[in-house]
Amino acid sequence: MTRAGHIGRITSECKQIFPSNEGDTVRKARRINALVGSVAGVTALAASALVGAVPANAAETISGGGASFPYPWIQACASDFNASQNNFTIQYTSTGSGTGKSNFTKGVFDYAQTDSKYSSGEPSFGWEYIPNIGGAVTFPINLKNKKTGRTLGSSIQLKQTTLAKILGGNIKMWNDKEILRSNSRIAASIPATPITVSYRSDNSGTSNNTLQYLNSWAPSIFSKVQDDFSTAFPGGKPPANSIAGKGNAGVMANVIATDGAIGYVDLGDSKGYPSARVQNAMGEFVAPSSASASKNLANQTNVAANGLVSLNYKVKAKGAYPVAIFSYLLARTDGKGPNGLGVRQFADYLLQKCGPQRASSLGYVPVGGKVLAKAKTLVNNIK
């Protein structure tokens, strides 16, 4: 019953207690005492309802987004972090590195994640890059053995310059002599299938890192390093044998749907799909994995004061997969942005707890060595 209903009932009861002919004083007193108790109960009920309606201190929402490369890992980490405390609620939207950087500059995101540095539009406030996770860029291939129909993707071995020629549209058939020379063991099984290059249509750190690698080995083919792959092709436009996809998921979908396709996505998004073995500086053809990427990243020590790591794509390490990358958290250091404490706590959680615990199982590489030491220092600057 509502409070108004209770009061109406009490008023009616009072009229019954004091009719003009009532004479039993004791009975009147008992009825009055009962009504007093009823009023007290209503008052207590109303008070308790008001107390229940006052919310406890709600967790502050911390909005972030950016690179799709670390998205599965950050989502898992955010879920764990949110469940472990009540002060902050971490959100992350996979927008691509380009949008992540732009939204961080505009203040749309409290923090962001990027796989590439700013080429323009840097924030006017104090900020820094924090390398917090590593991984590999893989080259998934949809190609079948012409005799058995079984997949050949994970058996294909590609030299650095051969990979550049394929992605640049210079090599257009899988049975090209240059490919066959690096794959003598399976050459008879490689079909005369046209190559289709699947690339990212959006601005992407994955594209940027792929272009960095290609540029380091074949600058005459890929002369530009940028987030936009579509204008980085030789001649500034996609070749006729190419197809665009939105995000890593779009690139992967094109590869799966197209016979003879090759693309570039991170190890987590390739999800075990047959991918090329790429030649490293030791001359080895190495398959992508967390372990082989880790052997590469463990030898990357050129860390700038702002956190950026200058990758050496010709590092000589046995068993190292050559196309490995770092992803970076973008965070404010000026103390004027929202939720600086929450961003710092989440950044520390990613680096020191969720990285070691979650990275490998999701296809990533936890940060270590000199890069980790620098990253820890940078986390302490977040305000």
Side-chain angles (χ1 to χ4, degrees):
M1 182 181 294
T2 64
R3 187 165 182 255
H6 276 288
I7 293 173
R9 182 178 65 80
I10 293 167
T11 302
S12 175
E13 289 279 330
C14 287
K15 290 179 180 179
Q16 294 179 30
I17 294 174
F18 298 107
S20 58
N21 61 348
E22 184 65 68
D24 188 344
T25 303
V26 175
R27 185 166 56 82
K28 291 177 184 179
R30 288 174 178 171
R31 294 285 297 279
I32 291 171
N33 286 336
L35 289 171
V36 169
S38 180
V39 171
V42 171
T43 303
L45 178 63
S48 66
L50 288 172
V51 171
V54 177
N57 292 333
E60 295 183 63
T61 298
I62 298 178
S63 175
S68 58
F69 167 75
Y71 176 69
W73 174 68
I74 290 182
Q75 279 292 89
C77 294
S79 178
D80 293 346
F81 180 82
N82 291 341
S84 68
Q85 49 78 52
N86 299 314
N87 297 321
F88 306 102
T89 298
I90 300 294
Q91 294 181 345
Y92 186 83
T93 305
S94 178
T95 64
S97 293
T99 301
K101 287 181 288 189
S102 176
N103 283 354
F104 178 67
T105 296
K106 295 173 184 176
V108 175
F109 289 156
D110 299 334
Y111 73 98
Q113 191 80 18
T114 180
D115 308 328
S116 59
K117 66 180 181 179
Y118 279 96
S119 58
S120 62
E122 291 189 6
S124 58
F125 49 78
W127 63 282
E128 62 191 3
Y129 298 95
I130 301 175
N132 61 1
I133 196 68
V137 176
T138 69
F139 301 91
I141 299 172
N142 183 348
L143 190 65
K144 304 294 190 301
N145 184 314
K146 65 181 182 181
K147 296 179 179 179
T148 66
R150 294 179 180 177
T151 182
L152 284 173
S154 57
S155 299
I156 295 292
Q157 299 182 155
L158 297 176
K159 290 184 176 181
Q160 303 93 336
T161 53
T162 303
L163 177 61
K165 291 176 183 178
I166 290 172
L167 295 181
N170 297 341
I171 293 179
K172 297 180 172 61
M173 299 293 292
W174 280 110
N175 66 338
D176 185 278
K177 291 180 179 180
E178 187 166 332
I179 296 176
L180 296 181
R181 280 197 297 269
S182 297
N183 294 275
S184 57
R185 184 178 61 83
I186 60 170
S189 301
I190 297 177
T193 300
I195 295 172
T196 299
V197 177
S198 179
Y199 67 94
R200 286 277 291 260
S201 61
D202 53 323
N203 286 347
S204 158
T206 306
S207 292
N208 191 298
N209 278 276
T210 303
L211 289 168
Q212 285 184 55
Y213 173 79
L214 296 171
N215 174 263
S216 70
W217 286 99
S220 63
I221 299 174
F222 285 97
S223 59
K224 296 179 181 179
V225 175
Q226 57 191 34
D227 287 356
D228 177 18
F229 206 99
S230 64
T231 58
F233 283 108
K237 62 180 182 180
N241 67 325
S242 67
I243 182 171
K246 173 72 172 178
N248 284 338
V251 171
M252 198 66 229
N254 285 338
V255 171
I256 294 172
T258 310
D259 188 30
I262 181 173
Y264 60 90
V265 299
D266 64 87
L267 183 62
D269 278 320
S270 65
K271 294 179 172 60
Y273 194 85
S275 299
R277 295 172 177 266
V278 183
Q279 189 178 47
N280 65 17
M282 298 284 290
E284 303 169 315
F285 291 100
V286 182
S289 69
S290 296
S292 61
S294 178
K295 291 177 181 179
N296 180 329
L297 295 179
N299 288 277
Q300 304 293 343
T301 59
N302 190 0
V303 191
N306 66 355
L308 276 175
V309 182
S310 295
L311 292 168
N312 177 9
Y313 290 103
K314 299 180 181 180
V315 64
K316 291 187 177 182
K318 188 174 178 59
Y321 181 73
V323 199
I325 72 174
F326 284 110
S327 187
Y328 305 85
L329 183 92
L330 302 179
R332 296 183 68 140
T333 59
D334 63 346
K336 296 180 181 179
N339 299 317
L341 174 61
V343 173
R344 185 169 72 247
Q345 289 182 357
F346 184 53
D348 185 69
Y349 181 82
L350 288 172
L351 190 66
Q352 300 201 61
K353 190 169 184 179
C354 198
Q357 291 182 353
R358 289 274 204 163
S360 296
S361 64
L362 293 172
Y364 298 91
V365 178
V367 175
K370 186 176 180 179
V371 178
L372 176 60
K374 182 63 177 179
K376 288 180 179 179
T377 300
L378 294 170
V379 167
N380 292 330
N381 296 335
I382 300 175
K383 298 177 183 178

